Amino acid sequence: EMVIGAAARLYEEDKALTAPGFILTLQGLLGSEKAHSKELAKAGEIGSAIHELVEWSLRAELMEPVGKSPILGDQAQWGYQAFQVWRKSVNLKPITVEQTVSCTCHKIAGTMDLLCEIDGIQTVCDWKSGKRVYWEAKLQNAAYRHCVRAMGLGDPKQGLVLRLPKIVGDPDFEPIDAGDEDYYFERFLHVKDTWETMQKEEAQ
C-alpha cells in the first residue's frame, strides 16, 4: 500500500519522468515514508509502555497479581513520573483498574483505564499520551461512566482524561475535564448509530 500510494502521488506530480528517474525518485519517497512510519511506531510503543507501567503500579497498590515491574526507557519513564506527580496532587485512590464495562441496553462495551477517587470524588479516568487530547475521548469517557453506573460498579460524578507526556522535555501532565456525561453520552449514541448505519449500507 505504501509503494502504490507513493507511486500514484509521484505519477500525478510529474508524468514526464523517464523510467530511471521515476525509480530513483520513488526510492527517495519510500525512504521518507518508512522513516515516518518508524517514528509513528516508536511513539506508539512509548505510549503503550507508559500505560503499562501506570497500570502495573495501580494494580500493585490494590494488591492484585502483577508480576515483575515493566522495564521502560527514559521517554516512558518521563511520562510515568508525570503521572506520579499528578496523582499526589489530587490524592488519587484507585478502585478498579482496566475494568471491562458494558451496557446491554445500548449494546456497548469497553475497557476503561481507571475508576478512582480524585480528591474524594468518584471519577472515571483515562490516560492519553501525545501532544493533545482529542474530543472523541470525551465521548468514550461518558460511555464508560454510563456503563459503570449500569453495571452497579459505582456512581462516578465526573470524568477526566489525563494527557501524559512521552517526550523528555514535553510539558508535564495535562488533566482535561471530560465534560457533562449526559451531553457527551447523547452524542456518543449518535456516533454509534451513524457507524451502525454505515456498516449496514456497506454490507448491502
Side-chain angles (χ1 to χ4, degrees), residues 94-113:
I95 297 173
T96 182
V97 184
E98 289 291 318
Q99 173 74 47
T100 298
V101 292
S102 62
C103 173
T104 54
C105 178
H106 292 291
K107 298 181 180 179
I108 57 176
T111 303
M112 65 180 176
D113 291 339

Side-chain angles (χ1 to χ4, degrees), residues 64-131:
E64 297 179 6
V66 291
K68 294 182 179 180
S69 173
I71 300 174
L72 307 179
D74 291 341
Q75 290 175 306
Q77 287 286 356
W78 179 268
Y80 177 69
Q81 291 304 318
F83 164 77
Q84 292 286 38
V85 172
W86 170 77
R87 71 159 297 168
K88 291 177 182 177
S89 73
V90 298
N91 191 31
L92 183 142
K93 294 181 180 179
I95 297 173
T96 182
V97 184
E98 289 291 318
Q99 173 74 47
T100 298
V101 292
S102 62
C103 173
T104 54
C105 178
H106 292 291
K107 298 181 180 179
I108 57 176
T111 303
M112 65 180 176
D113 291 339
L114 178 67
L115 178 65
C116 64
E117 287 187 5
I118 291 178
D119 289 327
I121 302 173
Q122 194 172 113
T123 307
V124 168
C125 189
D126 294 316
W127 329 121
K128 303 295 180 185
S129 58
K131 294 182 179 180

Side-chain angles (χ1 to χ4, degrees), residues 86 112 114-116 118 121-127 133 137-146 148-149 155-162 174-182 184:
W86 170 77
M112 65 180 176
L114 178 67
L115 178 65
C116 64
I118 291 178
I121 302 173
Q122 194 172 113
T123 307
V124 168
C125 189
D126 294 316
W127 329 121
V133 172
K138 294 184 178 181
L139 303 184
Q140 181 186 45
N141 191 284
Y144 287 155
R145 280 180 274 168
H146 174 87
V148 166
R149 200 171 292 104
D155 185 22
K157 301 300 183 183
Q158 64 182 5
L160 185 140
V161 183
L162 181 67
E174 181 184 4
I176 307 292
D177 181 0
D180 180 73
E181 179 183 335
D182 291 339
Y184 283 103

